[in-house]
Amino acid sequence: MSAHSHLKTPATANVRRIESPTRLALRRLQRKKAAMLSLSVLSILIAVSILAPFLAPYDPLEMGTGGSFSAPDPAHPFGTDLFGRDILSRTIFGAQISLAVGFSAVLFASVLGVTLGLIAGYAGGWLDMIIMRAMDMLLAFPGIFLALGIVALLGPDLRNAVLAVGISHIPTYTRTVRGCVLSAKENLYVDAARVTGCGTLRIVTLHILPNVFAPVIILATLGVAWAILNISALSFLGLGVQPPTPEWGLMLSEGRGYLRQAWWATTFPGLAIMITVMAVNRFGDGLRDAFDPRLKV
Amino acid sequence: MKYVIRRVLICIPVLFGLTLIVFSMLHLIPGDPAQVILAQSGARPEAVARLREQLGLDLPLHEQYLRYLNDLLHGDLGRSLFTHRPVTEIIAQSAPSTLELAFAAMALAIILGLTLGILAAVYQDSWIDNAAMSLAVIGVSMPSFWLALLLIFAFSLGLEWLPSGGQGTPKHLILPTLVLGFNSAAVISRLVRSSMLEVLRQEYVTTARAKGLKEQAVFIRHALRNALVPVVTVAGLQFGFLLGGTVVTETVFARQGLGRVAVDAIIYKDLSVVQGIVLLIAVIYMVVNLLVDICYSLLDPRIRYQ
């Protein structure tokens, strides 16, 4: 009774509600100008990619909308390519493809990577050993070479490029999530959940998974930039998206033989990749600094 | 010494794993690998059977792997399915060009990355810091193949100072090195800056200043050495990134290196060549990481490995 009345003293009643770490991090993020600016750029890019059919002045695949390699003019602000296709329209539709493949590769890598990391970290023992050694093997291949190997097996096309880039990114998620799970499962509330009779699936999804959200979101954001760069590199090499799809890497590849005649054929898709990757990277940096200031680079 | 021996021993199972992955590549092809490989040439059944025999696909899987390991130990990576040349010969011909480019780019990345990072840390929040970090942001966001095209446009087609492709002279190495090293320099400079700023806040730096040391001595003797520890690790990882980056750089600058040979091999489904190159690159990467770990313990004796 006395303890109960003690709780109702005015001093404790006035204590401010403690904000959750996520809310605090988001508040820190809002104060970061570069991250907020990048988020705006990213939002515009996403809007452009969704509204591409309404924004693009021409069909991106339509040939002869102007002459071959027409310089930028009011009718074709970004000029035209070898086949007279409008580069502005192709760049706008390219946003749709680049963002879609970037997000798809990251979604694939994160779902698989997080699942494997949860299993390895929570189950431990031989399952942990097998999963982590498999991840070590994947990490032993430097970046794009693993993707190249996978494309070599499955053949060059858009879906396989996404798969290849996604697979090569799985170990990053698995290692990070496993580390988080190892520390999260030592928490008292996990023990409490266990003694109250919670099943493994419930403990993992309700009590452990929330601990890995922040690092996974940060990794995934930075991963989108990485995936966009890698998939456009594969397309540039002729091992990713195939013609006539308006993909930025492929557009650069198609224009590279005509640098002297048509600087615009490579400049605009190149700028588009750089702006997108820069926006994603800066936003990812901001997220990381906001969620874990110790990791600030 | 104990650590070095243990670290080398850990590499052995990883090496086995690598051979297993590279060996499995052939068997992960959806369908019959021989048929898939020959699909472009309208495969006749005899040709498919001959290729199956050449690849050893008619043997049980474990025997195929043991044969593959045995061949590897004898330095035999198989033969190209198209030119019929030994893969080791193809690699021996193209590896020097790739390694030359990767090492040159690594040197540039370290020199440029350290310089920019140190300047940014020393002149924190000044225009120098802002300029260096803006350059770093551009460096990590710019696709290397676009940078390559811009440099070719400016220095080869415009000013006509440097060749746009090929290899053989130091001039041929300048543009590919700039393209390949720029991204890594950006990554290293960001890390050097944050690492230096972190170290400059430590008490031993305050002590060094308090005892009257010149700022230059504080930076070089006390801050830089400690700030370099994480940089060494990242530099090692960057070497792997640079090896991967040679694929694009060699293709743009028409250099006959491992990356370009790998791309051509993928296009022509010459899997023996792809397998050989992927394995070699992974082994080089593993050795570099081993050396980095050893350097790490030498640079910072406080580090005690478990």
Side-chain angles (χ1 to χ4, degrees), chain A residues 58-260:
Chain A
Y58 298 92
D59 179 336
L61 303 181
E62 189 187 341
M63 296 191 196
T65 59
S68 178
F69 288 132
S70 299
D73 60 23
H76 301 281
F78 287 6
T80 63
D81 67 5
L82 175 67
F83 303 106
R85 293 175 298 200
D86 180 53
I87 292 182
L88 172 63
S89 305
R90 289 178 69 74
T91 307
I92 289 174
F93 273 91
Q96 207 173 47
I97 291 169
S98 288
L99 289 174
V101 294
F103 282 110
S104 310
V106 164
L107 189 70
F108 173 76
S110 57
V111 169
L112 262 175
V114 169
T115 311
L116 289 172
L118 282 174
I119 295 171
Y122 193 77
W126 61 270
L127 209 53
D128 178 28
M129 202 195 71
I130 290 175
I131 292 174
M132 293 322 291
R133 291 301 77 77
M135 293 303 121
D136 285 347
M137 304 294 150
L138 288 181
L139 278 175
F141 295 93
I144 202 164
F145 265 96
L146 184 62
L148 282 181
I150 296 166
V151 170
L153 296 179
L154 304 175
D157 69 19
L158 173 65
R159 195 197 56 177
N160 294 342
V162 171
L163 214 59
V165 170
I167 290 174
S168 55
H169 211 198
I170 290 175
T172 322
Y173 292 93
T174 306
R175 280 168 77 123
T176 308
V177 169
R178 177 181 173 269
C180 293
V181 173
L182 284 181
S183 77
K185 77 174 183 182
E186 299 304 325
N187 285 325
L188 277 177
Y189 59 79
V190 175
D191 285 338
R194 203 173 292 128
V195 293
T196 54
C198 281
T200 304
L201 193 65
R202 192 176 164 84
I203 292 176
V204 171
T205 50
L206 283 185
H207 300 286
I208 291 186
L209 196 58
N211 287 285
V212 307
F213 269 143
V216 166
I217 286 172
I218 296 164
L219 274 182
T221 311
L222 293 168
V224 169
W226 186 81
I228 290 174
L229 272 180
N230 273 291
I231 292 172
S232 59
L234 283 177
S235 302
F236 180 81
L237 294 170
L239 304 174
V241 179
Q242 298 297 308
T245 316
E247 197 271 345
W248 293 335
L250 184 62
M251 287 166 71
L252 269 164
S253 176
E254 288 169 344
R256 79 184 221 229
Y258 310 94
L259 277 181
R260 211 189 282 270

Side-chain angles (χ1 to χ4, degrees), chain A residues 15 21 36 39-40 49 54 66 83 123 135 140 161-162 185 225 271 283:
Chain A
V15 171
M36 286 296 105
L39 183 62
S40 316
S49 70
F54 307 103
F83 303 106
M135 293 303 121
V162 171
K185 77 174 183 182
L271 264 177
F283 180 61

Side-chain angles (χ1 to χ4, degrees), chain B residues 38-287:
Chain B
L38 290 176
Q40 282 175 330
S41 48
R44 286 197 311 270
E46 317 86 80
V48 174
R50 205 169 41 243
L51 185 62
R52 284 182 65 83
E53 199 188 324
Q54 188 190 333
L55 295 173
L57 293 172
D58 43 357
L59 297 170
L61 212 56
H62 67 279
E63 263 184 56
Q64 287 182 40
Y65 180 59
L66 289 176
R67 202 172 86 161
Y68 176 69
L69 276 187
N70 184 49
D71 288 348
L72 273 185
L73 289 173
H74 289 91
D76 180 6
L77 290 167
R79 282 176 176 272
S80 158
L81 300 172
F82 287 88
T83 60
H84 302 292
R85 282 173 63 206
V87 175
T88 40
E89 196 183 296
I90 297 172
I91 286 177
Q93 209 171 44
S94 47
S97 159
T98 299
L99 290 177
E100 175 190 60
L101 176 58
F103 279 115
M106 192 75 232
L108 174 80
I110 291 175
I111 295 168
L112 193 63
L114 275 177
T115 312
L116 286 178
I118 292 171
L119 281 175
V122 171
Y123 299 103
Q124 192 192 357
D125 295 329
S126 69
W127 68 268
I128 297 177
D129 183 17
N130 287 334
M133 287 306 104
S134 303
L135 199 64
V137 169
I138 292 173
V140 293
S141 311
M142 195 169 197
S144 60
F145 41 92
W146 186 44
L147 176 63
L149 296 181
L150 288 179
L151 292 180
I152 289 174
F153 186 68
F155 295 103
S156 304
L157 303 179
L159 298 166
E160 295 184 4
W161 287 352
L162 295 165
S164 63
Q167 60 201 88
T169 67
K171 263 190 162 184
H172 285 99
L173 199 58
I174 296 175
L175 289 185
T177 303
L178 276 175
V179 168
L180 194 56
F182 185 47
N183 182 287
S184 296
V187 174
I188 292 174
S189 69
R190 275 155 61 103
L191 188 72
V192 170
R193 178 185 181 273
S194 71
S195 190
M196 282 283 282
L197 290 177
E198 178 89 33
V199 171
L200 286 172
R201 280 198 289 266
Q202 300 294 320
E203 283 175 357
Y204 60 80
V205 173
T206 316
T207 311
R209 281 183 176 139
K211 72 180 185 185
L213 269 187
K214 283 183 182 165
E215 268 304 285
Q216 205 179 354
V218 172
F219 271 112
I220 294 170
R221 253 190 278 163
H222 294 270
L224 190 59
R225 184 171 174 185
N226 288 295
L228 276 182
V229 176
V231 176
V232 170
T233 312
V234 170
L237 290 173
Q238 284 301 310
F239 190 76
F241 174 83
L242 290 177
L243 282 175
T246 56
V247 177
V248 169
T249 318
E250 285 173 356
T251 306
V252 179
F253 290 101
R255 290 175 66 86
Q256 273 303 331
L258 290 173
R260 183 153 183 227
V261 173
V263 171
D264 289 343
I266 292 170
I267 290 169
Y268 294 109
K269 292 192 177 169
D270 197 347
L271 266 183
S272 318
V273 177
V274 180
Q275 279 179 309
I277 293 176
V278 169
L279 184 65
L280 176 77
I281 294 285
V283 171
I284 294 175
Y285 189 36
M286 193 182 77
V287 172

